[in-house]
Amino acid sequence: MKTLLLLRAVLFPALLAVGSAIFAADKPNIVIIFADDLGYGDLGCYGSPTIRTPHLDRMAAEGLRFTDFYSAAEVCTPSRAALLTGRYPIRSGMCGDRRVLFANSAGGLPSAEVTIAEALKPHGYATAHIGKWHLGIHAGGRPLDQGFDHSFGLPYSNDMDGRPGLPRGASGLADPPHDGWNVALLRDGQVVEQPADQTTLTRRYTEDAVQFIREKKDGPFFLYFPHTFPHVPLFASPAFKGKSRAGIYGDTVEELDWSVGRVLDALTKEGVAERTLVFFTSDNGPWLIMGDQGGSGGLLREGKGSTWEGGMRVPGIAWMPGRIRPGVTTELAHAMDLFPTSLALAGAPLPAGVTLDGTDLAPLLFDGKPLPPRPFFYYRGDQLFAARLGEWKAHFKTQTGYGQPKADTHEPPLLFHLGRDPSEKRDAGAGHPEVLAQIQEAVQAHQSGVVPGEPQLK
Amino acid sequence: MKTLLLLRAVLFPALLAVGSAIFAADKPNIVIIFADDLGYGDLGCYGSPTIRTPHLDRMAAEGLRFTDFYSAAEVCTPSRAALLTGRYPIRSGMCGDRRVLFANSAGGLPSAEVTIAEALKPHGYATAHIGKWHLGIHAGGRPLDQGFDHSFGLPYSNDMDGRPGLPRGASGLADPPHDGWNVALLRDGQVVEQPADQTTLTRRYTEDAVQFIREKKDGPFFLYFPHTFPHVPLFASPAFKGKSRAGIYGDTVEELDWSVGRVLDALTKEGVAERTLVFFTSDNGPWLIMGDQGGSGGLLREGKGSTWEGGMRVPGIAWMPGRIRPGVTTELAHAMDLFPTSLALAGAPLPAGVTLDGTDLAPLLFDGKPLPPRPFFYYRGDQLFAARLGEWKAHFKTQTGYGQPKADTHEPPLLFHLGRDPSEKRDAGAGHPEVLAQIQEAVQAHQSGVVPGEPQLK
């Protein structure tokens, strides 16, 4: 008896302490780094001949690089809403004719939507948003309203809030006016600088992220790190400006790459790299009409704003040293998968009564298992323009991202084999009616389950 | 006195033996692997989303990958002549209106031209050509006439020698007729199989190359390994056919990748990897009119046959473990550099009285030193169409590789900044007259030194 009591008195608390450590270790940290308007072809590891990205290349070499990773939308606001909620933006109402939220928009991410931050918080996660938000500036839709303990960054895109007298097209200039925009830098909802000095943003975001990692290293934590660049107007710090052979666009991507390196180094230095999943991706394809100030979709057709591949297929790199076996995967995955993946890693239940559009990537990331076959839907605003099933993609409507005022409707739909024809050059529809039928069936099944949310981008 | 004699009798031969070993070690082996019609965007390490090339990716990760490596011509025969001689094809006469040598061509690489094999042979190198030749089938121009001790492969392209009744365009079919071509497989000038079984070529070439490496491992040796594929008609061995998501084109590139892996493994297994420079590249860009059977230039404009970047910028990877520091270089280099590089490594003098167009890459490969700035000239046949100086490229004439019957002449020339605009989309000529003047000066200097060779492609 005495022995047993002793066991209870001495060992049980010790076991509990161990258990709590295991508990923390069992809940990996999650870091999502999100670039803005970075194209599929803009990183060295994705074949850029001009932009040097040694840190992202190392992340890819040590991690899993996706060849077929998609953003959930062709422009900024819907893409971000979908990533954080795991749902096509049509469900949250975060899409529509105005395409994104503007400084004068009344809407925002509805309170009823559950973000990754909100889902992880009850499970002991410290949560931070660092960078661009663009999901609403009014009560209910702001970072601190949506599950983030901490927030530092811009409320929306860096080309909004143009100051009086700013010439039209100034955001696309090689050397845009420093004081052209009045966008504010906010910390936890309070303005700390206005206008924000855009040349310092990448550096200051990064310092803030590294500090958050240091402070929360005992974990678990969730860091959502959506960068301001390479969205125009392009500003780089003096250490990067004028250094890239790809011009100012390359300068900002190379500074972003430096930032990624700093985050990975901080995780390694704090001894938490092995229990932190880092995922890097972009919100949509390159903004082609910006010319030298826009990026490249590589061999993919079109860019930002379009449902051609270049508009929505983006870099996707997962890193968790010792857990993810280094390699390249051609599995189709997308930004909405990060919601269920994050919750599964945290051991958090999926939110009740919420329709999700992603799948848990863990079996692929950690065991190299193929994902279940599933369709992917390409929306432009609130309209479904195209759908992919396996290697086949059908376009019901097509439109360039910018400059084409009205969509072309295709009946029968255009059909491309993305394996043999990743550049979508050769319509193969005539020879494959059975493929088109399968895709149309998948579209109907999807659409019958969609309840459009109250439109927020009015 | 006696001691001295003893030294002479015992030690000097020993020293000589050591000297000879050092001599062999000082002369590294050289292996050039040359793909046929492989595009800039067709390898994983150059951003292909569809074709899996783990061995070439590993070669790149362990070696030096070039972002700006050029073939010396936009089509096959001139490109090969230039690589082996280190000279623009205009000098050897190996270019012209017919574009390449055909089965009925009377010409070939002139005997007076000095190939890498001819230059290295007197310096103790065993020399082998394995794969496609395409530099002449008549006396003087054949492999054994041009410095190779050993030769195994096809005399020209695999789509020549079509058998009677072969439908037009058969070479571009997804499943071309097996017995459609009568091209012979030659060993040391003797026909060993006709028609060659094209499904076995990559495998048999590779076995021959591995055997040569084994036999000559005490070195030094020079292996010139120009593959038959991915030039159409496309045939893959059963182990690769139908395996790539990129279709038959991908199958053949993935088999080519396997072959590269076998060569690197053989060098490693025989213990000579550290004293063997392996260089991988392609003879020109992808043959775009072949559709699914042609490759991709990635983000580059146009393909084979054209002087737009996609026609001549190709993958370039150098590998020599322990000697080359792994990395990526944006230095401009080209196939004609392999001649002086090989000779410098071998300690062989440059041939007297021969104008060379390449430069020794050794300082870049082994010490990471930048190359001296120099122009590069883009010829279509015997006409200079474009020129590059630094990041700037001027087009005096443009023409698609196939399908555009007549060239467009540009006065003033088109001007592109290949750093900011690698896809050659935005003519920047109007703003940079001084750049155009510099390029025109470089063109004049080059042309004043060109003595065109007797045309061979009649």
Side-chain angles (χ1 to χ4, degrees):
Chain A
M1 264 318 255
K2 259 192 173 170
T3 320
L4 266 176
L5 283 172
L6 184 72
L7 275 173
R8 273 191 193 153
V10 178
L11 288 182
F12 278 30
L15 282 170
L16 277 174
V18 169
S20 150
I22 287 172
F23 181 78
D26 270 346
K27 293 189 180 303
N29 311 308
I30 292 157
V31 176
I32 297 175
I33 307 176
F34 210 30
D36 196 338
D37 292 355
L38 180 79
Y40 186 77
D42 284 330
L43 305 181
C45 53
Y46 281 86
S48 172
T50 50
I51 304 172
R52 304 297 298 264
T53 54
H55 299 100
L56 281 156
D57 297 352
R58 177 171 73 88
M59 181 180 173
E62 295 172 359
L64 188 66
R65 184 169 75 80
F66 288 75
T67 61
D68 289 47
F69 192 85
Y70 291 92
S71 64
E74 84 297 2
V75 288
C76 188
T77 294
S79 172
R80 284 151 208 271
L83 180 143
L84 281 180
T85 62
R87 290 149 59 76
Y88 282 109
I90 183 78
R91 300 190 196 277
S92 58
M94 292 291 279
C95 56
D97 290 347
R98 278 192 92 188
R99 314 200 80 176
V100 299
L101 289 169
F102 287 89
N104 64 1
S105 298
L109 189 64
S111 304
E113 293 293 324
V114 183
T115 66
I116 300 175
E118 285 175 303
L120 296 186
K121 226 165 129 68
H123 296 270
Y125 277 72
T127 57
H129 152 257
I130 296 171
K132 165 176 165 175
W133 182 242
H134 212 182
L135 294 171
I137 54 173
H138 305 294
R142 298 164 305 190
L144 302 192
D145 306 325
Q146 289 286 354
F148 291 99
D149 306 326
H150 170 67
S151 170
F152 177 62
L154 305 191
Y156 34 65
S157 296
N158 61 334
D159 64 340
M160 294 173 171
D161 254 351
R163 300 179 89 172
L166 190 67
R168 200 176 155 76
S171 61
L173 295 177
D175 211 358
H178 242 261
D179 53 357
W181 292 268
N182 198 36
V183 63
L185 180 64
L186 308 178
R187 182 178 294 281
D188 299 333
Q190 304 303 314
V191 173
V192 294
E193 186 176 296
Q194 188 165 19
D197 178 353
Q198 296 205 35
T199 65
T200 67
L201 287 181
T202 299
R203 179 177 58 73
R204 286 155 89 190
Y205 289 170
T206 307
E207 284 165 2
D208 208 59
V210 167
Q211 191 182 329
F212 175 76
I213 290 166
R214 261 188 220 137
E215 283 172 7
K216 306 299 179 188
K217 65 169 183 279
D218 294 333
F221 61 80
F222 169 55
L223 169 60
Y224 171 57
F225 191 174
H227 278 269
T228 282
F229 299 110
H231 191 294
V232 297
L234 298 172
F235 294 99
S237 72
F240 288 88
K241 190 165 181 193
K243 298 294 163 63
S244 171
R245 66 181 286 218
I248 179 69
Y249 183 86
D251 295 342
T252 61
V253 176
E254 291 179 8
E255 185 157 16
L256 174 70
D257 177 69
W258 163 86
S259 171
V260 172
R262 291 275 292 140
V263 169
L264 302 189
D265 286 352
L267 293 168
T268 303
K269 199 175 155 195
E270 300 302 336
V272 298
E274 286 76 11
R275 51 189 172 95
T276 304
L277 173 66
V278 183
F279 203 95
F280 176 89
T281 186
S282 178
D283 68 337
N284 47 243
W287 206 353
L288 297 179
I289 54 161
M290 291 298 158
D292 282 3
Q293 317 304 312
S296 167
L299 84 172
L300 302 179
R301 187 163 170 176
E302 259 291 322
K304 172 177 175 174
S306 167
T307 51
W308 292 103
E309 288 293 291
M312 294 176 64
R313 204 197 291 196
V314 287
I317 307 170
W319 184 86
M320 195 173 187
R323 291 289 310 280
I324 293 178
R325 199 162 48 165
V328 178
T329 179
T330 57
E331 290 284 314
L332 187 161
H334 51 71
M336 294 172 291
D337 294 333
L338 299 180
F339 185 101
T341 304
S342 300
L343 270 61
L345 287 178
L350 296 176
V354 174
T355 306
L356 292 172
D357 294 302
T359 197
D360 176 12
L361 298 178
L364 171 66
L365 295 178
F366 305 125
D367 302 316
K369 291 189 182 155
L371 299 173
R374 51 184 178 149
F376 177 72
F377 304 104
Y378 304 71
Y379 278 87
R380 183 185 170 104
D382 55 8
Q383 285 186 67
L384 192 153
F385 265 42
R388 175 175 173 179
L389 191 61
E391 292 288 11
W392 293 100
K393 176 177 176 184
H395 290 269
F396 308 103
K397 294 186 176 196
T398 54
Q399 192 169 0
T400 60
Y402 295 82
Q404 180 184 339
K406 211 171 164 299
D408 294 323
T409 300
H410 304 284
E411 184 45 53
L414 304 180
L415 186 71
F416 298 92
H417 187 284
L418 296 179
R420 296 193 291 268
D421 182 19
S423 304
E424 300 176 285
K425 285 182 188 167
R426 297 178 288 278
D427 178 16
H432 301 277
E434 77 293 352
V435 173
L436 278 174
Q438 277 175 7
I439 293 179
Q440 269 156 331
E441 198 176 313
V443 167
Q444 277 157 24
H446 165 70
Q447 287 184 320
S448 71
V450 168
V451 180
E454 171 71 18
Q456 298 295 323
L457 307 192
K458 287 175 295 194
Chain B
M1 265 312 261
K2 260 193 176 171
T3 321
L4 266 176
L5 283 172
L6 184 74
L7 277 172
R8 273 190 194 156
V10 180
L11 288 182
F12 276 33
L15 282 169
L16 276 174
V18 171
S20 150
I22 289 171
F23 181 78
D26 269 346
K27 293 187 180 305
N29 310 307
I30 291 157
V31 176
I32 297 174
I33 307 177
F34 209 31
D36 195 338
D37 292 354
L38 181 79
Y40 186 77
D42 284 330
L43 305 181
C45 53
Y46 280 87
S48 172
T50 52
I51 304 172
R52 305 296 298 264
T53 53
H55 299 99
L56 281 155
D57 297 351
R58 177 171 71 87
M59 181 180 172
E62 296 172 359
L64 188 66
R65 184 170 74 80
F66 287 76
T67 62
D68 289 48
F69 192 86
Y70 291 91
S71 64
E74 82 298 1
V75 287
C76 188
T77 295
S79 172
R80 284 151 208 269
L83 179 143
L84 282 179
T85 63
R87 288 148 61 76
Y88 281 109
I90 183 79
R91 301 190 196 276
S92 58
M94 293 293 278
C95 57
D97 290 346
R98 281 192 89 189
R99 314 198 81 176
V100 298
L101 288 169
F102 286 89
N104 63 2
S105 297
L109 188 63
S111 305
E113 292 293 324
V114 181
T115 68
I116 299 176
E118 284 175 305
L120 296 186
K121 226 166 128 67
H123 296 269
Y125 277 72
T127 57
H129 152 259
I130 297 171
K132 164 176 164 176
W133 182 244
H134 213 181
L135 293 172
I137 54 174
H138 304 294
R142 298 164 306 189
L144 302 192
D145 306 326
Q146 289 286 356
F148 291 99
D149 305 326
H150 169 67
S151 170
F152 177 62
L154 305 191
Y156 34 65
S157 296
N158 60 333
D159 66 340
M160 295 177 171
D161 252 353
R163 301 180 87 173
L166 189 69
R168 203 177 152 77
S171 60
L173 295 176
D175 211 357
H178 242 261
D179 53 359
W181 292 268
N182 199 36
V183 63
L185 181 64
L186 309 178
R187 183 177 292 280
D188 300 332
Q190 304 302 313
V191 174
V192 293
E193 189 176 292
Q194 188 166 17
D197 178 354
Q198 296 204 35
T199 65
T200 66
L201 287 181
T202 300
R203 179 176 57 72
R204 286 155 88 192
Y205 288 171
T206 306
E207 285 164 2
D208 208 60
V210 168
Q211 189 181 329
F212 175 77
I213 290 167
R214 261 187 219 136
E215 283 173 5
K216 306 300 179 189
K217 65 168 184 276
D218 294 334
F221 61 80
F222 169 55
L223 169 60
Y224 171 58
F225 190 174
H227 277 270
T228 282
F229 298 112
H231 190 294
V232 298
L234 298 172
F235 293 100
S237 71
F240 289 88
K241 191 167 180 190
K243 299 294 162 62
S244 171
R245 67 183 287 220
I248 179 68
Y249 183 86
D251 295 342
T252 61
V253 176
E254 291 179 10
E255 186 158 15
L256 175 70
D257 176 69
W258 162 85
S259 171
V260 171
R262 291 274 292 137
V263 168
L264 301 188
D265 287 351
L267 293 169
T268 303
K269 199 174 153 196
E270 302 301 336
V272 298
E274 286 76 9
R275 51 191 171 95
T276 303
L277 172 66
V278 183
F279 203 96
F280 177 88
T281 186
S282 178
D283 67 339
N284 47 244
W287 205 354
L288 298 177
I289 54 162
M290 292 298 156
D292 281 4
Q293 317 303 312
S296 167
L299 83 170
L300 303 180
R301 184 163 174 177
E302 258 289 323
K304 173 178 173 174
S306 166
T307 51
W308 292 103
E309 289 292 291
M312 295 177 62
R313 205 198 291 196
V314 286
I317 308 171
W319 185 84
M320 194 173 190
R323 291 292 307 280
I324 292 178
R325 197 162 50 167
V328 177
T329 179
T330 57
E331 290 284 314
L332 187 162
H334 52 72
M336 293 172 291
D337 294 332
L338 299 179
F339 186 101
T341 304
S342 300
L343 270 60
L345 288 177
L350 296 177
V354 175
T355 306
L356 292 170
D357 294 303
T359 196
D360 176 12
L361 299 178
L364 171 66
L365 296 178
F366 306 123
D367 303 315
K369 291 191 183 151
L371 299 173
R374 52 183 178 149
F376 177 72
F377 304 103
Y378 305 69
Y379 279 87
R380 181 185 172 106
D382 55 9
Q383 285 186 67
L384 192 153
F385 266 42
R388 174 173 173 181
L389 191 61
E391 293 287 11
W392 293 101
K393 177 178 175 184
H395 290 269
F396 307 102
K397 294 188 175 194
T398 55
Q399 192 169 1
T400 61
Y402 295 83
Q404 181 185 339
K406 211 170 162 302
D408 294 325
T409 300
H410 305 285
E411 181 48 49
L414 305 178
L415 185 71
F416 297 93
H417 187 283
L418 296 178
R420 297 193 292 269
D421 182 18
S423 304
E424 298 176 285
K425 286 181 185 166
R426 297 178 287 277
D427 178 15
H432 300 278
E434 76 297 352
V435 173
L436 278 174
Q438 275 175 5
I439 294 179
Q440 271 158 329
E441 197 175 316
V443 168
Q444 276 157 22
H446 165 71
Q447 288 185 318
S448 71
V450 168
V451 181
E454 169 73 20
Q456 297 295 322
L457 308 191
K458 287 175 294 193

